[in-house]
Amino acid sequence: MSSKLLIGYDVERIPGRVPGEKWVGRKVPEDSTSVFLKKIVEVHKELQVPATIFMVGCNIEKHLAELEKCLASGMFEIAQHTQDHYPLKTVVEETGSRVFLRGLDFDRMEEQIGRPVALLKKYLGVECKGITAPYTYYRGLSDRPDILEIISKSGMVYTRSYGRNSLDYFPLDWGIQPFFYDRQGFPGILECPVQGWLDAQWRHDNGWEKWEEYHSYLKAQVDRLESMNMCWSHLQHDWTSILFDENLHWTRKFIEYAAQKMEIKTYYDYYNWKKNG
Ligand SMILES: [Zn+2]
């Protein structure tokens, strides 16, 4: 059976805060979200390939026109990336950039997770089915049943929160495949781990302009996974996608290549396939 590819775009540019320009080492266009949303819809329409957009809640109202176009194309699922992009868990990288990020206080969790669900419903009529967690974590939310409970209460059925290895870094091995949070008492919530290198970290470490090399890395993963009957959850951001590639040339090239060899689904379609399969 062919492997599955889930493409998720974290749409999160918050000028002055996300991404940290000090960490990026350069200026990132303030209008990244607009530029990205206007162009990505054309790419997916043209290639007839589905994807999921994970929006930070605080930007939903500012980008309704673009998001409506994405929905109208029939190619996109829209889900969320929390209200303001704070880490849900503390990150302590033991290698690489050795970043330390303090996790959000629990008393703000409900607001940060619940608000985007309400906004997507109110402004776009979208039932938000999933959440991608800012920065991703080792073991995802396996050790946080308290957060899973909030996610479950908000009506969501999948998370994408496991993106780091035991050094709280990258890459995450492909052996970490999607799993339901049965042991935590939430058998209805599917975790879709983000394997490999996060695009931002690979490009931060190797050079933001090195699209060709990054593309080769992605292609090699497609070739390797093609016949392994696995699921690969791939992550790109609004701002990374247009950085040194405003016309999404490389993003299009990757999707074209992957679509020949893997079955591409939205996260929610994958959830349903997994649940019923
Ligand atoms: Zn993010």
Side-chain angles (χ1 to χ4, degrees):
M1 209 192 307
S2 72
S3 286
K4 309 279 185 279
L5 175 66
L6 317 180
I7 300 174
Y9 300 110
D10 293 13
V11 178
E12 62 179 31
R13 177 79 174 115
I14 304 173
R17 208 166 62 76
V18 184
E21 288 181 312
K22 217 162 107 187
W23 179 81
V24 177
R26 57 182 313 111
K27 282 237 161 293
V28 174
E30 293 206 354
D31 61 351
S32 292
T33 295
S34 276
V35 173
F36 173 78
L37 287 176
K38 281 185 189 127
K39 296 199 168 157
I40 200 67
V41 64
E42 298 305 325
V43 171
H44 283 267
K45 243 162 64 179
E46 187 189 314
L47 301 177
Q48 289 291 298
V49 168
T52 301
I53 287 172
F54 294 99
M55 273 303 283
V56 285
C58 64
N59 283 343
I60 289 171
E61 286 168 80
K62 288 176 220 148
H63 296 285
L64 288 178
E66 293 106 309
L67 292 171
E68 273 162 8
K69 275 201 179 133
C70 288
L71 288 174
S73 75
M75 292 294 115
F76 291 93
E77 171 198 5
I78 301 180
Q80 65 144 316
H81 194 24
T82 74
Q83 180 67 12
D84 297 296
H85 205 268
Y86 295 115
L88 301 182
K89 270 174 57 168
T90 295
V91 170
V92 195
E93 292 180 351
E94 300 293 355
T95 182
S97 317
R98 293 185 69 81
V99 162
F100 173 85
L101 282 172
R102 188 195 154 119
L104 185 71
D105 289 339
F106 188 71
D107 59 7
R108 295 195 57 197
M109 213 61 86
E110 202 152 335
E111 158 226 333
Q112 287 294 311
I113 291 170
R115 188 104 180 95
V117 175
L119 292 171
L120 286 174
K121 179 79 189 158
K122 178 173 173 193
Y123 289 105
L124 293 163
V126 165
E127 300 280 352
C128 179
K129 295 297 182 187
I131 180 168
T132 194
Y135 309 99
T136 72
Y137 324 110
Y138 172 51
R139 304 201 295 191
L141 295 171
S142 294
D143 52 359
R144 291 302 299 269
D146 51 349
I147 302 178
L148 287 170
E149 182 153 12
I150 293 175
I151 290 169
S152 169
K153 272 202 309 204
S154 310
M156 288 177 281
V157 293
Y158 72 85
T159 56
R160 181 180 179 249
S161 67
Y162 194 159
R164 293 170 181 266
N165 58 34
S166 59
L167 297 175
D168 233 354
Y169 206 64
F170 314 96
L172 179 66
D173 193 88
W174 267 268
I176 310 291
Q177 287 289 300
F179 60 88
F180 287 96
Y181 282 111
D182 299 309
R183 293 161 77 195
Q184 290 75 10
F186 299 93
I189 299 185
L190 179 71
E191 168 65 34
C192 299
V194 182
Q195 306 96 338
W197 282 90
L198 224 68
D199 72 333
Q201 194 68 53
W202 191 98
R203 293 180 57 206
H204 170 271
D205 294 3
N206 295 280
W208 292 104
E209 70 292 356
K210 296 245 164 71
W211 265 110
E212 192 163 356
E213 290 82 348
Y214 179 59
H215 179 70
S216 298
Y217 164 75
L218 294 179
K219 262 173 69 174
Q221 308 318 313
V222 171
D223 292 342
R224 201 169 53 76
L225 295 168
E226 184 182 356
S227 56
M228 290 174 78
N229 192 19
M230 279 195 170
C231 176
W232 176 17
S233 165
H234 172 65
L235 189 166
Q236 280 189 204
H237 299 79
D238 51 354
W239 60 274
T240 54
S241 299
I242 62 158
L243 202 58
F244 289 103
D245 188 25
E246 202 168 304
N247 288 316
L248 301 177
H249 163 81
W250 289 105
T251 300
R252 172 181 286 125
K253 230 170 131 81
F254 166 63
I255 298 169
E256 263 172 344
Y257 188 77
Q260 295 164 19
K261 305 197 172 203
M262 297 174 85
E263 190 185 343
I264 306 180
K265 288 179 178 293
T266 65
Y267 281 79
Y268 186 51
D269 283 346
Y270 180 77
Y271 167 86
N272 282 319
W273 177 82
K274 191 94 179 146
K275 192 84 192 157
N276 303 321

